[in-house]
Amino acid sequence: VCYPQLRMSRSFALLAVLVASLPLRALGADTCPDGWFCDQTPQPAPPPEAMPAEPEPFDEPPPPNVRVDRPEDDEWEQQPEQRTARRRPHAVQMHREWGFNLHLNQALIGHDSRFPNNSGMGGFGLALRYRFVPHFALESSLEWAWGRDYQGFSRDETAVLVNGLVFFNPKDVVQVYAFGGLGVGTADVNRASSGIGAGYMYPGGKQRYWYLGVQAGLGVDVRVNRRVALTADLLGILRGRVDDNANFSPEFVDPNTHRVTNTSGAGLFRLGATFYW
């Protein structure tokens, strides 16, 4: 009698389990209860245009006062001689400069055989040079010389020379130059005796002569470094007396021909050093 009722109870229980499982399947993986092993629903991949773009690299300038190391920096620091060669392709880097020169003088003069004393004069001088472009410069010098002149008389001379200089190779260590200009000078001459010759009066004792002349020559400037140079030059001088007594008492008289002149010439060799700044 109880079998039909048992069969109905089992059918009812199976139906109840099926009905209860329907809401769980509808919930999906996002509402999976704790303690359950539910399949995760795969998410579709976004389209390519929807994906965020990666930022493009860009060069940002370095902040100020920050050194940017380069591969050649180490080589540049390790080879200072190459750095000097790159910055200064020539031995001497020329620019506008001033120069102060100190030198010794040796006069090149002849000797009058009629006078017993041998001739010879020497001294020293100083000069101020302004080199405004590599090839050209202006120089003013003050010269002193003393000794015995062509006639054997004791003589002390002072001269001021103004020259223009032309440098032929201003970028080399050894620089050759030519120069020329005007000069004015004075001489104190101690004549041994007075006399009359060729119709002219020759007073004895100490006499003062004034000269105006021109000079020209060649020189060499050897740069020891940027600030110091060794100098040597040879110049020829041609001058004439311009004082008031020149016409009444000429300086030179030829006793044979009785010709007179106030014009004289000489050479001057100068050796010294120039300090530039």
Side-chain angles (χ1 to χ4, degrees):
V1 177
C2 297
Y3 291 110
Q5 186 177 0
L6 180 59
R7 290 178 180 176
M8 184 181 301
S9 300
R10 290 181 178 177
S11 300
F12 180 78
L14 182 57
L15 181 60
V17 171
L18 293 176
V19 173
S21 64
L22 291 177
L24 295 178
R25 293 176 178 270
L27 290 176
D30 294 338
T31 57
C32 185
D34 294 338
W36 289 67
F37 297 94
C38 305
D39 295 333
Q40 297 183 357
T41 304
Q43 298 292 333
E49 60 273 8
M51 298 179 64
E54 296 182 358
E56 297 182 358
F58 63 94
D59 296 332
E60 183 178 357
N65 301 327
V66 175
R67 175 182 174 181
V68 179
D69 293 332
R70 296 181 175 86
E72 61 271 15
D73 288 343
D74 294 337
E75 180 181 358
W76 184 261
E77 295 179 355
Q78 294 175 3
Q79 300 178 356
E81 66 280 358
Q82 294 186 4
R83 179 175 69 251
T84 304
R86 294 177 187 175
R87 292 183 178 177
R88 299 174 61 188
H90 302 288
V92 179
Q93 184 177 6
M94 295 306 305
H95 61 291
R96 294 183 180 181
E97 56 188 357
W98 290 86
F100 178 72
N101 177 268
L102 294 173
H103 55 268
L104 299 175
N105 295 329
Q106 178 61 51
L108 306 177
I109 56 178
H111 172 66
D112 191 340
S113 60
R114 296 176 300 163
F115 297 93
N117 297 320
N118 293 326
S119 62
M121 298 182 65
F124 66 95
L126 54 89
L128 182 64
R129 178 182 298 178
Y130 175 53
R131 197 165 179 176
F132 50 93
V133 293
H135 286 85
F136 300 98
L138 294 176
E139 183 180 84
S140 178
S141 65
L142 184 60
E143 312 290 345
W144 290 276
W146 56 89
R148 293 191 175 273
D149 61 10
Y150 175 82
Q151 302 178 85
F153 298 146
S154 177
R155 175 185 292 251
D156 295 333
E157 287 205 23
T158 303
V160 176
L161 310 180
V162 178
N163 293 307
L165 289 76
V166 179
F167 289 84
F168 299 108
N169 53 335
K171 296 182 180 180
D172 297 334
V173 174
V174 180
Q175 303 174 18
V176 180
Y177 60 90
F179 62 95
L182 301 175
V184 59
T186 180
D188 292 326
V189 181
N190 189 10
R191 300 184 68 94
S193 61
S194 61
I196 300 176
Y200 293 94
M201 180 70 181
Y202 302 98
K206 189 173 183 179
Q207 305 295 318
R208 172 162 290 185
Y209 302 149
W210 285 89
Y211 300 94
L212 179 64
V214 295
Q215 66 275 343
L218 291 172
V220 62
D221 195 273
V222 181
R223 285 297 184 103
V224 178
N225 52 44
R226 184 178 177 183
R227 300 299 182 185
V228 181
L230 301 179
T231 60
D233 56 41
L234 179 64
L235 66 152
I237 301 173
L238 182 64
R239 65 186 183 176
R241 277 181 60 189
V242 293
D243 56 87
D244 295 337
N245 294 326
N247 295 328
F248 304 100
S249 178
E251 186 173 3
F252 304 100
V253 178
D254 190 327
N256 298 323
T257 63
H258 301 289
R259 297 179 62 179
V260 297
T261 182
N262 284 310
T263 302
S264 59
L268 190 65
F269 176 71
R270 303 185 298 183
L271 178 65
T274 301
F275 306 91
Y276 289 99
W277 69 91

